[in-house]
Amino acid sequence: MAGSKFIDANFTNANLSRANFDYGFLRQTILEGVDLREAHVAEVDLSGANLKGANLQNAFLLGAGLIEANLEGANLERTNLVEANLEGAYVRGSSIHEA
C-alpha cells in the first residue's frame, strides 16, 4: 500500500501490523484502536488523523506528518519518530518509552 492516498477513510480497530504506507497520504483518517505494530509509515501525511488508542509499537514513522493528529493513549514504544512533525498533536496518555 506504499504511496496510497486515503482521505477521511475509516480503519477503526483494523489490523494493519507490518503494513507499508510509506510516502502515502492518510490525512484526517480514522485509525482509532488500529494495530500498526512494525508498520512502515515513513513520510506519510497523517495530519488531523485520529490514532486514539492505536498500537504503533516498533513502527517506522520517519518524517511522518502528524500535525494536529490525535494520539491520545497510543502506544508509541520503540517507534522511530526521527524528523516526524508532531506540531499541535494531542499525545495525552500516550506511551513513548524508547521512542
Side-chain angles (χ1 to χ4, degrees), residues 16-19 21 36-41 57-61:
L16 300 171
S17 60
R18 297 188 177 144
F21 288 103
L36 283 164
R37 286 175 295 161
E38 300 179 17
H40 281 254
V41 196
Q57 186 175 12
N58 293 314
F60 187 73
L61 277 77

Side-chain angles (χ1 to χ4, degrees), residues 11-60:
F11 292 102
T12 300
N13 296 318
N15 183 350
L16 300 171
S17 60
R18 297 188 177 144
N20 184 347
F21 288 103
D22 287 349
Y23 306 102
F25 190 87
L26 297 167
R27 186 176 281 233
Q28 299 194 356
T29 301
I30 300 170
L31 296 157
E32 190 169 337
V34 167
D35 183 352
L36 283 164
R37 286 175 295 161
E38 300 179 17
H40 281 254
V41 196
E43 301 292 335
V44 174
D45 183 356
L46 287 155
S47 299
N50 181 358
L51 291 142
K52 182 178 182 178
N55 188 350
L56 295 148
Q57 186 175 12
N58 293 314
F60 187 73

